[in-house]
Amino acid sequence: MAIKIVLLGLETVGSGVLKIIKNNQKKIKQTSGEEIVIKKALVCNLKKHQNMAKEVELTT
């Protein structure tokens, strides 16, 4: 089973959380027994965050 989350923003904090979760997936799963899946990220400007679209689905 996976824990699905949505990020509210991809500025400094949101993008940092995304990177931490992506980079530590294996350790998170070993520790908690669950995988964290980032389903979407809420952003104000889709064009500004297009580079993140490969990692997570963007929505406004």
Side-chain angles (χ1 to χ4, degrees):
M1 183 170 177
I3 299 170
K4 299 172 188 167
I5 63 172
V6 175
L7 294 176
L8 299 177
L10 282 176
E11 296 296 328
T12 304
V13 175
S15 63
V17 169
L18 176 65
K19 289 176 186 174
I20 289 170
I21 291 173
K22 293 278 186 182
N23 292 338
N24 294 296
Q25 269 299 359
K26 186 176 180 180
K27 187 172 184 178
I28 292 168
K29 186 162 183 159
Q30 287 175 342
T31 304
S32 68
E34 302 291 337
E35 179 182 5
I36 296 179
V37 177
I38 301 171
K39 295 298 287 182
K40 292 185 181 184
L42 180 65
V43 296
C44 290
N45 186 345
L46 291 173
K47 290 181 183 179
K48 181 178 178 182
H49 299 287
Q50 278 183 326
N51 61 332
M52 296 292 226
K54 294 177 184 174
E55 297 182 50
V56 64
E57 182 183 344
L58 302 178
T59 189
T60 55

